[in-house]
Amino acid sequence: MSERAAPFYCPYCGDEDLRPSEEGHGAWECRSCSRAFRLKFLGLLAPGASAPSPATDGGTS
């Protein structure tokens, strides 16, 4: 079994000074910008599935 993947960069400032947070599973702290955030894996997409394009999502544009 492999270890869980860790984020390489802060999603807010882009810095690499990240530490696991004591807030629980998937929680991280950025020491550079003093922000805390949580990551969550939602699942895999079905083969061939992609986000709908603006022309086919029922919009009026």
Side-chain angles (χ1 to χ4, degrees), residues 3-52:
E3 292 184 29
R4 301 241 180 220
F8 293 110
Y9 303 99
C10 172
Y12 298 99
C13 72
D15 200 86
E16 299 177 6
D17 192 9
L18 300 177
R19 303 277 189 264
S21 175
E22 295 178 1
E23 293 296 318
H25 179 73
W28 293 86
E29 298 173 353
C30 176
R31 301 289 171 98
S32 181
C33 68
S34 299
R35 287 185 169 108
F37 57 93
R38 186 177 308 273
L39 299 177
K40 182 178 178 181
F41 178 70
L42 298 177
L44 297 173
L45 296 176
S50 63

